[in-house]
Amino acid sequence: MRNTCVQLASQSEVTVIPNTVIDQVIPEANELQIKVYLYILRHQADSDLLQIPRMADFFNETEKDVGRAVRFWENKGIFVLTQEQSAVQDTAEPADDAGSPAVPARPRLSRDEVHRLSLDKDFSELMFLSESFIGKPLTARDVESLLFITKNLGFSNELLEYLLEYCASQNKKNFKYVEAVAIAWSSQGITTPQETKEQNQAYSQQIYGVMNALGKKNEPTPAETAYIQKWYQEYMMETDVIEEACRRTVLATDKNRFQYADKILLSWSQAGVRNVSDIAKADSAYSRKRHAAPRRAAQPAYAANNPFLQHTQSDTDYDKLEKLLS
């Protein structure tokens, strides 16, 4: 059998996707998030097309859903929001609006400039430190990232060392990931390792708080952590809302609790729930919708005194529910 090859019909216009995004981020993204990412890459040179309302019209989705999809990529360090979250751009480029959050321009270095930096004593020490963590010599692009992090983002040597140590602990040893984390920390105003440790501690409290609320005593698996991150970052839920969903889950089932809680939080997200006070409104709307459903036909007269026919049959599709929770 002959090998089958795939070849582009034309290479005149292409959109390039970084391998790290394909390997590390795409598996976590849903359909709309992937569509939004591809759209942004395709139109990154046209800021007008990157307005969230324009994207919402293009995909025939709500601005809220498109905004959440954009925030997913922002949380991954891929894009930054500008102009009051109405537009997005690649993290490697600066924002045009001086009054909006911006990421400094990333330097582009020639071979001679890279060589001169390697001869600088202080910078060569940073290069050596970086190489010891990632386990290989720095490429020219890695040196650009290192210069960007230390000069443009203003990372101290101490913070840089902690950044490299953190990324290595996550088994992420490529500089594109290091740079993305640095941008995220910088946007959060982090300037010292202590501030990062405090934020990581708060993050751990979120993770283990949800685990306890669901009655889980084990270390969170990657899949469980992904659910919790989704509830906070994609659904944009507050802690007390998530805890209420967990409470209802524990009362309802003793298995598949993450899937069950996710179903609750997804429905609340779609209903616009953002805090505990919104839950009562969502419950009331659901109750009205349920009572507005057509009533079952009355039982025939001969069934009135028959206990076997008086039982109201459940209309729950258990097979479908089993598939949802499997």
Side-chain angles (χ1 to χ4, degrees), residues 19 35 40-41 47 56 61 64 78 83 115-116 132 167 205 229 234 272-273 289 291:
N19 288 337
K35 287 180 178 178
I40 293 171
L41 285 185
S47 60
E61 299 281 354
K64 185 180 295 184
I78 307 300
Q83 298 175 7
H115 178 66
R116 282 198 295 271
S132 66
C167 293
Q205 289 174 347
Q229 289 176 332
E234 183 181 337
V273 170
K289 180 180 178 181
H291 285 90

Side-chain angles (χ1 to χ4, degrees), residues 171-318:
N171 200 28
K172 306 289 188 181
K173 296 188 177 183
N174 65 79
F175 244 91
K176 189 170 182 64
Y177 182 86
V178 172
E179 182 180 320
V181 174
I183 290 171
W185 287 4
S186 177
S187 66
Q188 294 161 13
I190 291 174
T191 58
T192 66
Q194 182 60 32
E195 291 173 347
T196 305
K197 293 173 184 176
E198 290 172 357
Q199 188 177 78
N200 289 340
Q201 183 178 7
Y203 173 76
S204 296
Q205 289 174 347
Q206 286 182 344
I207 295 291
Y208 287 99
V210 172
M211 293 292 288
N212 289 333
L214 286 175
K216 299 281 189 176
K217 303 303 180 184
N218 59 287
E219 285 291 316
T221 66
E224 291 170 340
T225 301
Y227 269 117
I228 299 170
Q229 289 176 332
K230 178 166 65 171
W231 299 342
Y232 277 104
Q233 298 173 9
E234 183 181 337
Y235 296 170
M236 306 294 288
M237 293 297 183
E238 296 180 359
T239 297
D240 50 2
V241 175
I242 296 175
E243 289 178 349
E244 174 61 17
C246 292
R247 186 188 69 81
R248 298 187 182 195
T249 297
V250 170
L251 292 174
T253 181
D254 60 355
K255 63 179 182 178
N256 299 315
R257 285 182 171 174
F258 272 94
Q259 294 92 326
Y260 195 98
D262 183 62
K263 195 161 179 267
I264 294 175
L265 289 166
L266 175 60
S267 68
W268 285 353
S269 176
Q270 293 170 340
V273 170
R274 288 295 173 270
N275 50 57
V276 170
S277 62
D278 293 333
I279 296 176
K281 300 175 185 177
D283 287 344
S284 179
Y286 175 77
S287 179
R288 289 195 302 271
K289 180 180 178 181
R290 187 175 182 183
H291 285 90
R295 295 182 178 275
R296 292 181 176 276
Q299 289 182 328
Y302 67 82
N305 296 320
N306 190 327
F308 295 101
L309 297 179
Q310 287 176 349
H311 172 69
T312 302
Q313 191 172 9
S314 171
D315 60 353
T316 302
D317 187 346
Y318 286 102

